[in-house]
Amino acid sequence: MAGSTLEIKNLHVAIEGEEILRGVNLTIKGGEFHAVMGPNGTGKSTLASAVMGHPKYEITEGEVYIDGKDVLEMEVDERAQAGLFLAMQYPSEISGVTNSDFLRSSINARREEGDEISLMKFIKEMDGTMDLLEMDKNMAQRYLNEGFSGGEKKRNEILQLMMLKPAIAILDEIDSGLDIDALKVVSKGINQMRDENFGCLIITHYQRLLNYIAPDKVHVMMQGRIVKSGGPELAQRLEEEGYDWIKQELGIEDETVGQKA
Amino acid sequence: MTVEISLGYDKEYVTKFSEGLNEPEWMKTLRLDALQQAERLPMPKPDKTKIDRWNFTKFTHDLRGEELSSLADLPNQIKDFVDQNKEEQNLFIQRDQRVAFASLSQSLKDKGVIFTDMNTAMREHSDLVEKYYMKDGIQVDEHRLTALHAALMNGGVFVYVPENVQVEEPLQAIFWQEDPEAALFNHVIVVADKNSSVTYVENYLSQNNEEEEAVTNILTEVFAHDNAKVSFGAVDNLGAGTTTYVNRRGVADRDAKIEWALGQMNDGYTISENYTYLMGENSLGDAKTVSVGRGSQKQNFTARIVHYGKASEGYILQHGVMKEKATAIFNGIGKIEHGASKSNAEQESRVLMLSKDARGDANPILLIDEDDVTAGHAASVGRVDPMQLFYLMSRGITQKEAERLVIHGFLAPVVKQLPIKAVKEQLTQVIERKVN
């Protein structure tokens, strides 16, 4: 088997006592691109954040494994070391820490002491990746996400994805707030990652992104659960008909969990 | 009934001490007069910090360290602060009140620059020292600690830069307290005469732990005469057992500039006052300080810039990080006196707390008695944002390293702006040590 496997089993997640996820089951393998779609407020972003270990989310039930190792037992940094990556919807701004120092620390955190990436190699790789993502070179020396526009933040998330080369990446609304040109650039970066050692979970409520990044599997989330799964044709149908037919099929009136996703 | 604090040192002791050092008569008189005042004057009252239980008055006063035969004999912790590759050192090292090493380049000597220990300065340049010593800068009778200092002063340096002389290379003084319990009453005077400029950098270093109690009482007076510029840098790094009172004061005449770059990295209880009097028209005072508090130390930092001269400019920038159970108060005060029109006062104080037991307070204060001025202030006190840590850790960075990055990032805006390269480098090292 090539690549890693992320298994999410019957995951229940609460925030401040309110249950948001109510039993999510999902398995992502190396080489696969999954899309999780659904209207706002159905729990998509909660799924992304909870798997990475966001401090506000409490796991009330269920299990998460990466290559058989218990993810929920791990600290956030250990989850990253195990191969997980989360491209965040709202990345933090960190004053005084340059983008490039941060990236180098992140890369070196995965390497043994004494085996740190050489500065030359790092700069070369960073330059090349920034070119591909059509990023301004001075962004390397700017403070991490500080004063970045929405589009710059998203590109910066993808820059990190490409430099860190995780086994499994979760992309949380990487398309939100992007114009069509930026969307194409970001998609180009993500597509470049595609190989049998890389699995990806794309969270979006627009089908638009999937025109550029073809998913192998598509899941629909409502009321904190995955209510329907299928192939790329499912995304196509959602684009044409919206979500109402699924709600009708399942007898759902309000698809939200009473909490913005 | 009032409780009398016995200072433990009497007239006879002070007389003997002064005579033993062959001090000029004026100094002996000043000491004895100050001793009398110390008995009756109250302790200073730093805003929002209670110091009545701090030990400022129990100590061993007269201890003398040994001379150094070579810089190579310095312990490693001190070596970090010295650039040993320099051919010509403008370096002064004081080891437990004794001059251990002193060197000034021939070219500076030829230009009339004085950079020597206070005792030698008093004997060789008595009039010059008398002109500045606790006259227009710090007064003897401000409170008990200034008076006590004047009575028991036992170390320090005197720097004088004559008119029109530009000192390009920094002058560096290291005050090294090797004996864990030796008290230091250090007095530093830096005088930049008209149209001159100088960069002076000092380090206070000791390694005493919490049980090894010591007292440090430091007074520093900086004078920048017309159109002179003084860049004053410091990295203080006294041990956990040392209780410190440090008062650094500047007086700037017409068109003069005083820039302070203070890395206040003591591990013990510290009261720090950094005042700048902008006496002359168009003078400038710039006070930058960073601090990292740890353990259960309590600290109080007050930076005050007082504008008397027209069109004078005062800038205060304070950033502090508090770890563990450390507490610190940052007061940034801009005072514009009546008549100092067209002046500008700016203050910024920021505190970052790393644990739930750490405490910090930032108080920017503007006191303005003149209409035609500009002023501004900003302050923030906050804890590390858990979202920042989550973000950094989600890239594989450990919590410790993530905190380190956030701290460096928080201090960077000040450290980056420090005008003296040597201070920037020393400070980065000390921050690194205190953060880990």
Side-chain angles (χ1 to χ4, degrees), chain B residues 89-145:
Chain B
Q89 295 278 359
N90 298 312
L91 176 64
F92 173 90
I93 300 176
Q94 177 177 290
R95 179 182 192 176
D96 293 334
Q97 290 95 323
R98 182 185 180 124
V99 181
F101 184 90
S103 153
L104 180 68
S105 74
Q106 194 55 47
S107 65
L108 289 179
K109 281 182 196 158
D110 293 345
K111 285 175 185 162
V113 173
I114 301 169
F115 179 38
T116 187
D117 67 280
M118 194 54 82
N119 186 251
T120 303
M122 262 187 292
R123 284 184 285 112
E124 292 179 2
H125 311 278
S126 176
D127 292 351
L128 194 59
V129 177
E130 189 182 6
K131 186 176 161 193
Y132 291 102
Y133 194 92
M134 298 192 84
K135 287 263 176 11
D136 297 327
I138 300 167
Q139 316 287 310
V140 172
D141 62 359
E142 292 185 16
H143 47 67
R144 176 172 289 151
L145 295 183

Side-chain angles (χ1 to χ4, degrees), chain B residues 2 18 29-30 35 76 93 101 116 139 167 187 209 239 295 332 352 356 363 365 369 380 395 398:
Chain B
T2 56
S18 179
T29 312
L30 187 146
L35 183 69
N76 285 333
I93 300 176
F101 184 90
T116 187
Q139 316 287 310
V167 179
H187 202 104
N209 63 36
L352 178 70
K356 65 175 175 36
N363 309 299
I365 298 162
D369 291 328
S380 66
R395 301 320 189 222
T398 61

Side-chain angles (χ1 to χ4, degrees), chain B residues 160-380:
Chain B
Y160 178 79
V161 182
E163 266 185 63
N164 302 318
V165 171
Q166 319 302 322
V167 179
E168 309 284 349
E169 283 285 301
L171 310 180
Q172 187 185 4
I174 294 178
F175 303 104
W176 169 27
Q177 291 301 96
E178 189 183 29
D179 184 295
E181 287 165 7
L184 178 64
F185 289 77
N186 213 53
H187 202 104
V188 173
I189 292 177
V190 178
V191 180
D193 219 327
K194 289 175 187 165
N195 306 313
S196 72
S197 67
V198 63
T199 297
Y200 166 86
V201 179
E202 66 181 15
N203 305 107
Y204 286 93
L205 304 168
S206 72
Q207 259 104 41
N208 51 326
N209 63 36
E210 256 171 56
E211 276 76 47
E212 297 165 322
E213 285 191 29
V215 173
T216 302
N217 181 329
I218 299 161
L219 300 187
T220 298
E221 303 179 273
V222 172
F223 300 90
H225 290 303
D226 290 358
N227 203 34
K229 183 183 169 188
V230 178
S231 270
F232 188 107
V235 178
D236 300 347
N237 202 194
L238 291 163
T242 299
T243 302
T244 300
Y245 172 74
V246 52
N247 186 335
R248 293 185 172 106
R249 195 165 295 182
V251 180
D253 293 343
R254 195 188 167 96
D255 298 312
K257 279 193 181 120
I258 299 179
E259 292 176 340
W260 307 94
L262 309 178
Q264 307 204 68
M265 297 289 166
N266 291 342
D267 278 325
Y269 282 27
T270 299
I271 297 294
S272 163
E273 296 178 340
N274 176 209
Y275 287 14
T276 310
Y277 294 125
L278 301 176
M279 306 307 294
E281 200 173 320
N282 209 30
S283 54
L284 181 143
D286 185 317
K288 291 193 173 70
T289 189
V290 297
S291 179
V292 177
R294 64 178 174 184
S296 53
Q297 74 178 134
K298 291 186 167 55
Q299 300 188 91
N300 184 301
F301 302 100
T302 301
R304 177 193 272 262
I305 297 182
V306 189
H307 301 247
Y308 292 97
K310 283 190 190 0
S312 53
E313 292 175 73
Y315 302 98
I316 294 172
L317 180 63
Q318 306 172 306
H319 277 213
V321 171
M322 294 302 120
K323 293 175 62 178
E324 295 153 14
K325 293 178 179 169
T327 299
I329 312 287
F330 290 84
N331 299 308
I333 304 166
K335 172 95 168 78
I336 302 182
E337 299 290 345
H338 184 65
S341 54
K342 312 277 185 221
S343 288
N344 181 30
E346 307 275 349
Q347 297 120 47
E348 187 180 328
S349 310
R350 302 199 184 275
V351 185
L352 178 70
M353 293 171 293
L354 289 188
S355 77
K356 65 175 175 36
D357 296 321
R359 293 273 177 280
D361 199 357
N363 309 299
I365 298 162
L366 282 167
L367 304 164
I368 300 176
D369 291 328
E370 172 61 48
D371 295 328
D372 182 17
V373 299
T374 53
H377 62 199
S380 66

Side-chain angles (χ1 to χ4, degrees), chain A residues 90-195:
Chain A
Y90 304 109
S92 289
E93 299 188 359
I94 297 167
S95 187
V97 177
T98 65
N99 214 10
S100 119
D101 283 350
F102 160 66
L103 250 178
R104 204 142 66 92
S105 296
S106 304
I107 291 171
N108 286 332
R110 283 143 216 274
R111 289 162 162 253
E112 295 293 320
E113 222 175 298
D115 183 39
E116 286 87 0
I117 187 166
S118 79
L119 188 60
M120 285 310 294
K121 186 167 181 240
F122 171 76
I123 291 171
K124 216 177 130 194
E125 212 175 311
M126 183 154 180
D127 274 357
T129 315
M130 286 179 89
D131 279 344
L132 185 117
L133 294 171
E134 296 170 29
M135 290 169 77
D136 191 336
K137 284 284 159 53
N138 75 28
M139 285 182 70
Q141 291 315 314
R142 280 170 64 186
Y143 291 154
L144 183 52
N145 292 321
E146 194 179 70
F148 285 24
S149 71
E152 284 173 334
K153 283 183 183 168
K154 301 287 180 182
R155 282 177 210 229
N156 205 39
E157 292 294 285
I158 300 308
L159 173 71
Q160 294 169 38
L161 169 74
M162 296 180 76
M163 299 280 292
L164 295 175
K165 304 178 186 73
I168 304 277
I170 304 171
L171 313 178
D172 189 9
E173 309 236 353
I174 198 70
D175 50 335
S176 70
L178 291 185
D179 63 31
I180 197 75
D181 292 330
L183 187 66
K184 283 180 181 168
V185 171
V186 162
S187 304
K188 184 170 71 176
I190 297 164
N191 283 324
Q192 181 120 336
M193 295 289 294
R194 201 187 269 272
D195 77 30

